[in-house]
Amino acid sequence: MEPRISVITLGVRNLPRAIRFYRDGLRFPTTAKDDAQIAFFTTAGTRFALYPLDRLAVDVSPDLDSSRSDFAGFTLGHVVRTREEVAATLKFAEAAGGKIIKPAQDVFWGGHSGYFSDLDGYLWEVAWGPMFSFAADGSLVFAEG
């Protein structure tokens, strides 16, 4: 596993309001409009994303309730270079003591991903997608729609 956090995703209760706060209020650069399904912001080194809280919980596991106290409402993302690396990275994390929460699988946005939790229960998404590439320094680059 390369030592990289590619994306930090916050689960938000009102996505359009949150987009306006970060885009218009804090002036984080993005191409996201108020009606976006997910918003990615360009930040130095790591991408920052907003996604509806209830949908983020379901993405991790259909059994996870966004109101549960054991769900922090955010995930750390580790984007890998190949589709096959998703399962391999999940197994690597499990061998290190992590717990696989969602095995590697094809996902609705056209990529392949899965989730593991670290020793304290923090959730990591391991993802690959055709829209992702990497800059020379290892930071994430992707085409936004």
Side-chain angles (χ1 to χ4, degrees):
M1 183 170 176
E2 294 180 56
R4 171 181 58 246
I5 297 174
S6 305
V7 180
I8 297 172
T9 303
L10 299 182
V12 297
R13 297 190 192 288
N14 183 319
L15 185 57
R17 182 183 69 174
I19 290 171
R20 289 189 299 272
F21 173 77
Y22 286 100
R23 181 192 62 212
D24 306 335
L26 298 183
R27 302 195 191 281
F28 280 28
T30 186
T31 59
K33 307 292 184 227
D34 288 359
D35 62 350
Q37 299 296 306
I38 186 169
F40 288 98
F41 296 84
T42 303
T43 57
T46 300
R47 290 291 178 132
F48 173 63
L50 303 173
Y51 195 57
L53 179 62
D54 57 339
R55 291 178 55 196
L56 182 60
V58 169
D59 190 50
V60 174
S61 170
D63 300 325
L64 187 60
D65 180 346
S66 62
S67 65
R68 285 183 13 194
S69 62
D70 60 346
F71 178 55
F74 75 93
T75 62
L76 301 169
H78 180 76
V79 176
V80 294
R81 298 172 190 277
T82 67
R83 184 182 191 281
E84 296 73 26
E85 283 182 84
V86 174
T89 302
L90 290 170
K91 288 179 184 174
F92 181 79
E94 184 176 43
K99 179 181 176 187
I100 295 177
I101 303 299
K102 181 180 179 180
Q105 57 193 264
D106 291 335
V107 289
F108 71 93
W109 48 266
H112 194 73
S113 76
Y115 284 88
F116 73 88
S117 65
D118 71 6
L119 301 177
D120 290 303
Y122 291 106
L123 295 167
W124 284 77
E125 179 182 24
V126 179
W128 168 87
M131 70 290 291
F132 301 132
S133 62
F134 295 91
D137 66 358
S139 61
L140 183 64
V141 177
F142 67 94
E144 296 184 63

